[in-house]
Amino acid sequence: CAVPYAEFGQIAKEEGIEIVGTHEGFQGMLEDIDAVIVSHQQLGTLNMGIGGMPGEYYESKAKTLEFCELANKIGAAIKPYGMKFTYHNHSGEFKKFPDSGDDTMMDILLKNTVMGAYRFECFFNYNVVRHVTRIYDGNYLVYIFLIYITRREANECGKLL
């Protein structure tokens, strides 16, 4: 974002817009969680999210468990600030690994993350602008109607990214 977080947060506040969450880079959270916490405080949001699991963690059950461990560390780091780590799925989380028995990747995620510091958003109709989101935070299953605003650009071939 070309606008600094503090300025963007102030503009949103002045316009009566509540920033309910973000999508941040997972690697950035791992490398400098303190800076990401500050940016979320400047935006006035308690939901620090990623827009999907980085590709390497889809490769195996062991890699998915590694992701869970890292996500739990992020959740624990931000929980004292009243923040939650938010993850929303794509279709890949419903596959099974050869060594996961009847469990899908989503089952592995749900069984191996600390729900008090973690929130899942399960998206339906991923390619449309309006979504119905189902959030499970360990105690509640809540459906939220949400407008998902994203910037789309054309690549050199003229196809939307």
Side-chain angles (χ1 to χ4, degrees):
C1 180
V3 179
Y5 287 111
E7 185 178 342
F8 191 87
Q10 185 61 36
I11 292 167
K13 185 176 179 179
E14 289 170 3
E15 296 299 322
I17 299 170
E18 180 182 2
I19 300 171
V20 296
T22 66
H23 283 162
E24 283 285 333
F26 189 63
Q27 194 62 37
M29 290 180 188
L30 296 173
E31 292 172 1
D32 194 355
I33 192 64
D34 293 332
V36 180
I37 288 168
V38 169
S39 68
H40 282 70
Q41 290 171 326
Q42 291 171 332
L43 292 172
T45 186
L46 298 176
N47 292 306
M48 182 184 298
I50 60 172
M53 186 184 327
E56 68 190 85
Y57 299 108
Y58 283 90
E59 294 173 4
S60 67
K61 179 180 178 183
K63 292 298 284 184
T64 300
L65 288 169
E66 180 184 335
F67 172 82
C68 292
E69 182 179 328
L70 295 170
N72 285 334
K73 286 180 182 178
I74 292 168
I78 65 177
K79 187 175 182 178
Y81 299 91
M83 296 179 179
K84 291 202 180 215
F85 176 73
T86 304
Y87 172 85
H88 84 245
N89 73 294
H90 296 83
S91 60
E93 290 84 350
F94 295 98
K95 72 176 184 178
K96 294 180 183 179
F97 297 115
D99 60 346
S100 64
D102 289 335
D103 286 346
T104 65
M105 183 187 287
M106 183 59 79
D107 294 323
I108 294 167
L109 290 168
L110 289 169
K111 289 177 181 179
N112 293 282
T113 52
V114 179
M115 285 298 166
Y118 204 100
R119 177 171 290 149
F120 279 89
E121 297 178 346
C122 299
F123 274 86
F124 309 103
N125 298 325
Y126 186 72
N127 292 320
V128 297
V129 175
R130 281 185 227 152
H131 296 284
V132 178
T133 301
R134 185 173 70 173
I135 297 178
Y136 177 72
D137 71 3
N139 298 312
Y140 303 99
L141 189 58
V142 180
Y143 289 88
I144 297 177
F145 292 91
L146 143 82
I147 297 177
Y148 192 77
I149 300 171
T150 184
R151 190 175 127 214
R152 297 188 72 178
E153 298 176 356
N155 64 15
E156 61 275 275
C157 299
K159 294 183 179 178
L160 287 178
L161 301 175

